[in-house]
């Protein structure tokens, strides 16, 4: 009984081992078939996957475009500020509508009002020399008449000794030499003036007259204008516009006279003299001047100087977008002039530019950067 049971157990164990061996072989075969099926599927489906790549790329590009648009929108939002109408009233925010203007490009240069003392000293020196010359000539004429009288008496009556005639001749020769010397001094003074001052300024100094008196009475002033390096004054330019430094409303025009005899010792640009027929300038004052160029006029809008605020080293102005929002626009590419900054982009005719309270808007725009004293990081 025990032997039969042992044989049965052994027979059963052998059968189980065969089954386990067969199941392992089947699993290996099944794994190989699965791998081959996956490879085949990838081979046949690869064209379909390739056709899907552009669409995915397009989706990525669209996403990048959206990011770019978001950056632009965020950038514009960063340059704008919103202020309630009540707050605008308290800050005296005012704006004006821009109109189309035509601007002729100008060169920005520097000028100085010539002190009348320089002209007066030169005029006085030459006037004194001419007066001395006239006195010498009067003395010469007197000596000449005395010599003629003595010669006449000597020939008529013989009552005049030759010694007196010779003495009168010597005095006349000395008077002639004195006159020649005085004449040379006058010529030297005139030459010195003409070497320092161009025509017609030199003639005014030498001869005096009405124009010289207008300068001396400060009813008119003489401007010395120095152009920027490598810039030249066009022959067609007869007038320029000047503006007194830090006084935007003190402006005027000056008429070209002539090029200076010598260049400015500090600045290396061309130097010219202009006549200002206004009496509102102080002697020695430094001015900003705008000299027209040969370029043609172009269409633009004029941004007044009271609209300009400075930030990050460049000029800006605020565009009123609606009742409560304002946009900060760069004026870096604008053209400076006496009236303001002419701009061809950023602002357009019909836009409203802030003319009062722009600094308040700039402060409000960066208000978030101000540390709140109530916030305690500790």
């Amino acid at each position: 009984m025990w032997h039969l049971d042992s044989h049965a157990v052994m027979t059963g164990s052998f059968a189980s081992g065969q089954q386990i061996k067969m199941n392992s072989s089947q699993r290996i075969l099944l794994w190989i078939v699965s791998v081959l099926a996956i490879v085949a599927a990838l081979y046949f489906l690869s064209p379909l996957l390739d056709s899907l790549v552009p669409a995915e790329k397009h989706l990525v590009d669209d996403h990048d475009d959206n990011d770019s648009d978001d950056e632009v929108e965020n950038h514009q939002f960063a340059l704008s500020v919103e202020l309630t109408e009540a707050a605008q009233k308290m800050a005296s925010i005012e704006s004006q509508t821009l109109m189309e203007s035509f601007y002729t490009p100008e060169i920005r240069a520097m000028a100085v009002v010539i002190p009348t003392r320089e002209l007066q000293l030169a005029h006085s020196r030459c006037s004194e020399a001419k007066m001395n010359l006239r006195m010498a000539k009067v003395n010469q004429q007197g000596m000449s008449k005395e010599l003629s009288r003595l010669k006449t008496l000597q020939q008529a009556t013989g009552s005049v000794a030759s010694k007196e005639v010779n003495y009168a001749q010597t005095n006349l020769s000395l008077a002639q030499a004195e006159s020649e010397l005085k004449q040379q001094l006058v010529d030297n003074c005139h030459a010195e003036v003409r070497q320092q001052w161009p025509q017609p300024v030199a003639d005014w100094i030498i001869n005096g007259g009405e124009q010289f008196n207008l300068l001396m009475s400060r009813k008119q002033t003489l401007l010395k204008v120095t152009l920027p390096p490598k810039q030249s004054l066009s022959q067609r330019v007869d007038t320029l516009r000047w503006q007194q430094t830090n006084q935007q409303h003190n402006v005027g025009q000056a008429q070209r006279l002539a090029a200076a005899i010598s260049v400015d010792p500090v600045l290396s640009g061309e130097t010219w003299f202009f006549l200002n027929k206004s009496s509102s300038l102080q002697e020695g004052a430094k001015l900003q001047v705008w000299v027209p160029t040969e370029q043609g006029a172009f269409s633009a809008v004029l941004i007044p100087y009271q609209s300009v605020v400075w930030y990050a080293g460049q000029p800006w102005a605020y565009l009123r977008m609606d009742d409560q929002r304002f946009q900060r626009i760069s004026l870096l590419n604008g053209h400076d002039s006496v009236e303001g900054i002419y701009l061809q982009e950023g602002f357009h005719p019909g836009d409203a530019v802030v003319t009062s309270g722009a600094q308040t808007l700039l402060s409000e725009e960066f208000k978030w950067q101000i540390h709140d004293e109530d916030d305690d990081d500790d």
Side-chain angles (χ1 to χ4, degrees):
M1 185 69 181
W2 179 81
H3 289 289
L4 290 176
D5 292 339
S6 298
H7 183 267
V9 169
M10 292 179 62
T11 302
S13 298
F14 177 78
S16 298
Q18 287 295 108
Q19 184 177 2
I20 292 173
K21 184 177 181 180
M22 289 180 63
N23 290 340
S24 176
S25 299
Q26 289 176 354
R27 284 197 299 270
I28 293 174
L29 180 61
L30 180 61
W31 180 80
I32 294 174
V33 172
S34 299
V35 170
L36 292 176
I38 292 173
V39 171
L42 291 176
Y43 176 78
F44 288 105
L45 293 177
S46 60
L48 179 60
L49 294 175
D50 291 339
S51 64
L52 293 177
V53 170
E56 294 176 357
K57 185 177 184 299
H58 179 69
L59 291 176
V60 173
D61 292 340
D62 289 342
H63 180 69
D64 292 341
D65 292 340
N66 292 334
D67 291 342
S68 178
D69 294 340
D70 291 341
E71 291 178 359
V72 172
E73 183 178 356
N74 291 336
H75 176 68
Q76 292 178 348
F77 180 78
L79 298 180
S80 64
V81 59
E82 187 172 352
L83 206 63
T84 64
E85 295 183 6
Q88 294 179 38
K89 187 175 181 180
M90 292 181 60
S92 300
I93 304 296
E94 298 180 359
S95 60
Q96 72 177 33
T97 303
L98 298 175
M99 300 180 62
E100 182 181 18
S101 302
F102 290 92
Y103 171 69
T104 300
E106 297 172 312
I107 301 172
R108 187 175 183 177
M110 300 300 297
V112 62
V113 180
I114 300 298
T116 57
R117 177 177 174 81
E118 298 183 26
L119 306 177
Q120 182 64 54
L121 289 176
H123 175 72
S124 299
R125 187 168 60 253
C126 291
S127 296
E128 182 180 0
K130 287 189 290 185
M131 183 178 297
N132 292 334
L133 174 61
R134 286 196 297 268
M135 294 174 61
K137 286 184 176 181
V138 169
N139 185 49
Q140 178 184 345
Q141 291 175 358
M143 293 298 177
S144 179
K145 290 180 180 181
E146 178 64 16
L147 178 61
S148 297
R149 186 182 69 82
L150 293 176
K151 286 183 176 180
T152 300
L153 290 175
Q154 185 184 42
Q155 293 175 358
T157 62
S159 60
V160 178
S162 298
K163 183 173 69 173
E164 293 184 15
V165 175
N166 293 337
Y167 182 75
Q169 182 66 55
T170 301
N171 289 337
L172 177 59
S173 297
L174 292 174
Q176 289 175 343
E178 183 72 14
S179 296
E180 292 175 359
L181 175 61
K182 300 302 182 182
Q183 182 64 58
Q184 186 63 47
L185 293 176
V186 170
D187 294 341
N188 290 344
C189 185
H190 291 179
E192 182 180 346
V193 170
R194 297 189 186 281
Q195 289 176 359
Q196 184 179 0
W197 304 93
Q199 296 287 7
V201 181
D203 287 340
W204 298 344
I205 296 174
I206 292 173
N207 302 324
E210 180 182 1
Q211 183 59 58
F212 181 79
N213 293 333
L214 290 173
L215 293 174
M216 292 302 101
S217 63
R218 298 181 180 84
K219 293 181 179 180
Q220 295 184 6
T221 50
L222 198 62
L223 307 183
K224 186 177 182 180
V225 177
T226 302
L227 300 181
K230 300 181 181 180
Q231 296 288 349
S232 298
L233 184 66
S234 172
Q235 294 297 326
R236 294 184 294 180
V237 174
D238 294 326
T239 60
L240 56 75
R241 299 188 295 172
W242 56 260
Q243 181 183 47
Q244 195 155 8
T245 306
N246 300 326
Q247 298 184 23
Q248 298 177 355
H249 299 291
N250 190 8
V251 299
Q253 287 188 340
Q255 181 181 358
R256 183 174 70 174
L257 294 176
I261 301 299
S262 58
V263 299
D264 191 285
V266 178
L267 304 177
S268 58
E270 289 185 2
T271 307
W272 293 79
F273 283 102
F274 282 75
L275 178 64
N276 170 53
K277 296 184 178 181
S278 171
S279 60
S280 60
L281 295 177
Q282 294 180 337
E283 295 183 3
K286 294 183 179 180
L287 311 174
Q288 300 181 61
V289 296
W290 280 264
V291 184
T293 65
E294 295 183 350
Q295 302 178 16
F298 59 81
S299 175
V301 292
L302 176 62
I303 308 298
Y305 280 118
Q306 59 264 31
S307 299
V308 180
V309 291
W310 286 86
Y311 175 73
Q314 60 177 291
W316 305 79
Y318 278 96
L319 166 68
R320 179 182 284 274
M321 302 177 66
D322 52 41
D323 292 340
Q324 297 186 1
R325 183 163 293 279
F326 302 86
Q327 182 77 34
R328 180 159 53 89
I329 305 296
S330 175
L331 307 179
L332 189 61
N333 295 326
H335 301 268
D336 288 341
S337 70
V338 174
E339 301 90 353
I341 299 178
Y342 284 91
L343 197 66
Q344 292 182 283
E345 57 183 14
F347 285 91
H348 303 88
D351 289 345
V353 62
V354 175
T355 57
S356 175
Q359 191 64 46
T360 301
L361 293 177
L362 184 65
S363 301
E364 186 69 21
E365 181 180 343
F366 293 95
K367 186 177 180 180
W368 60 273
Q369 293 184 353
I370 301 176
H371 178 70
D372 190 352
E373 295 181 355
D374 294 336
D375 294 339
D376 190 357
D377 295 337
D378 299 335

